[in-house]
Structures are given as C-alpha cells and as structure tokens.
Amino acid sequence: MSGQQQLSQPNAELDLRGVICPYNFVKTKLKLESMEEGQILAVLLDAGDPILNVPQSVRNEGHTILSQELVDESYRVVIRRRGDE
C-alpha cells in the first residue's frame, strides 16, 4: 500500500458490486449523507455503467474522488465527503 492510501483510510466501505444504476449511486449518496464532513467512503463498483456514472454523479454532488483503482475485475473508488456550507 502506498502512503497516499494510508492517509486516506476509509471511515466506511460499501460493496455495490452487482447493484445496477441508479441504485448504486443512490446508496452511495445516502451513505455519504450519513457521514461527517471530510470523512472517507470506499465504494466497490462493477465495470461498465457503474464506474462511468457513479464517480461523475458523486463529483456533481460536490464530493471529491480521492482515488479510483481496478481491484479483481471491479473498481474501488475512494470518496471524501464534502463539507456542508
């Protein structure tokens, strides 16, 4: 593991493999809303529409994508919850 990953140790993790759009984004959004500002959520997503749509939708909500990596045929996306203003 790189030092970058250790700095961004997730506060929570969601396994959304096998979950179709838009449910995977809805579950990600609800989880982020239940977390504190600045906390980190790791989400596992399938290839295809989920990895294309969920990170973009999360960015549109104002959250930050810290990393996105392929892990065993699925993607692990690490998101920092936005601060509410």
Side-chain angles (χ1 to χ4, degrees):
M1 251 193 220
S2 70
Q4 178 67 33
Q5 285 179 311
Q6 290 169 343
L7 288 176
S8 57
Q9 192 62 36
N11 300 96
E13 195 146 341
L14 277 182
D15 184 348
L16 299 178
R17 291 172 294 185
V19 178
I20 59 169
C21 292
Y23 300 110
N24 45 24
F25 169 63
V26 171
K27 288 174 185 273
T28 301
K29 180 179 175 176
L30 290 171
K31 184 64 179 176
L32 283 164
E33 287 174 357
S34 75
M35 295 172 71
E36 301 288 319
E37 293 177 23
Q39 283 192 322
I40 295 169
L41 173 64
V43 182
L44 291 172
L45 297 166
D46 293 318
D49 285 343
I51 194 58
L52 294 174
N53 297 334
V54 174
Q56 187 58 51
S57 298
V58 165
R59 276 191 205 95
N60 291 345
E61 293 279 315
H63 305 291
T64 304
I65 304 295
L66 298 177
S67 67
Q68 190 172 300
E69 60 184 343
L70 185 61
V71 180
D72 298 330
E73 297 181 26
S74 57
Y75 287 86
R76 185 171 190 265
V77 181
V78 180
I79 306 158
R80 183 183 306 278
R81 189 195 190 284
R82 70 168 190 268
D84 289 328
E85 279 143 41

